Amino acid sequence: MTGGLVFIWPVMTAAFLASLVEAVEALTIVLAVATVRGWRPAGLGALAGLAVLALNVAGLGPLLGHVPLRLLQFVIGVLLLLFGMRWLRKAILRAAGVIPLHDEAMTFATETAELRERARRNEARLDWIAALTTFKAVLLEGLEVVFIVIAMGAGRGMLIPASAGAVAACLAVAAVGLIVHRPLARVPENTLKFAVGIMLSAFGVFWTGEGLGVAWPGSDLAIVGFAAIFLAVSAAAVAVARRPKAEVVS
């Protein structure tokens, strides 16, 4: 499509960053299970989750080709906008100190403590519980990755670049996790969510308009303008959300 090449790196980057966040969260649960019960149940549960995800992707992929492009762009645009705004809202509230930052080290400690408590109560079933825990973590976080890949890639025939970005992020997180054997607590997750929220929201507005037949000024470059608007509004929202807290302190 005309201008399609303009989307390759933005789509790949958005898919990479979004998948990076989800992969880090899944890795924390897998590591917690492996710490308590070993890599066998943790790995089996994670592999089962990946298998289910692969089946979902294989089933959804062929269906997209039968959907009219305008309708596909509109639906994906709306979903991207809703998805991006959800991430952006949480990132704004965390940046403003309204809600606490997501702490992977705390999540790891909590999950580990829960599994050890279950081990004391029912040792015989714990391997099944451990495998189910990693299965659920990989499946739930992976479904978000699948949605982002499909949403980012289907609108302009960019499924391959989006998939490449997602796979690269997941492989990178898995490799680092296997090497260090600890949660990736130093990953600036809220900053990543902030950036991804802005990118998804900008693409969402653009593709919703395209689905409605809107001719955006500057064509594909309008996405940059939307991203700048979301960034400015989000920065202002963080400043406003912080103000009452500052006044109470003074």
Side-chain angles (χ1 to χ4, degrees):
M1 287 186 181
T2 304
L5 293 178
V6 177
F7 283 92
I8 290 180
W9 288 110
V11 165
M12 189 179 288
T13 301
F16 177 86
L17 294 178
S19 301
L20 191 68
V21 173
E22 303 297 348
V24 167
E25 293 180 358
L27 174 68
T28 300
I29 305 301
V30 173
L31 287 176
V33 172
T35 299
V36 176
R37 295 304 298 171
W39 283 102
R40 186 173 183 273
L44 288 175
L47 288 174
L50 290 173
V52 173
L53 286 173
L55 290 175
N56 284 325
V57 172
L60 287 173
L63 295 177
L64 296 176
H66 300 287
V67 181
L69 180 59
R70 282 284 177 88
L71 177 61
L72 184 64
Q73 288 176 330
F74 176 75
V75 172
I76 285 176
V78 171
L79 292 176
L80 271 181
L81 186 57
L82 294 174
F83 202 82
M85 291 299 291
R86 180 173 69 89
W87 277 35
L88 199 52
R89 174 182 172 275
K90 286 186 178 180
I92 289 170
L93 293 176
R94 284 173 176 159
V98 176
I99 59 176
L101 293 171
H102 187 78
D103 190 336
E104 292 299 333
M106 184 179 294
T107 301
F108 177 82
T110 301
E111 194 69 33
T112 302
E114 288 180 0
L115 286 169
R116 283 176 176 156
E117 178 60 28
R118 290 178 180 178
R120 285 192 289 269
R121 294 199 304 264
N122 196 340
E123 179 71 24
R125 294 180 54 206
L126 190 64
D127 281 352
W128 286 103
I129 294 173
L132 184 60
T133 300
T134 57
F135 171 80
K136 183 176 69 173
V138 171
L139 182 60
L140 293 180
E141 303 298 342
L143 283 174
E144 293 205 33
V145 171
V146 170
F147 167 76
I148 290 169
V149 167
I150 292 175
M152 293 297 297
R156 283 289 183 101
M158 292 288 161
L159 280 174
I160 292 178
S163 300
V167 170
C170 294
L171 289 177
V173 169
V176 174
L178 289 173
I179 293 171
V180 303
H181 283 197
R182 65 183 62 185
L184 306 184
R186 293 187 178 181
V187 174
E189 183 176 342
N190 201 57
T191 302
L192 291 177
K193 283 191 172 181
F194 209 109
V196 173
I198 288 172
M199 295 180 76
L200 295 185
S201 300
F203 272 98
V205 171
F206 181 82
W207 278 336
T208 300
E210 284 220 326
L212 293 172
V214 176
W216 295 116
S219 188
D220 298 341
L221 291 177
I223 296 174
V224 178
F226 294 139
I229 292 171
F230 277 111
L231 177 60
V233 172
S234 300
V238 171
V240 170
R242 281 177 175 168
R243 190 176 302 167
K245 185 177 179 180
E247 289 175 358
V248 171
V249 173
S250 60

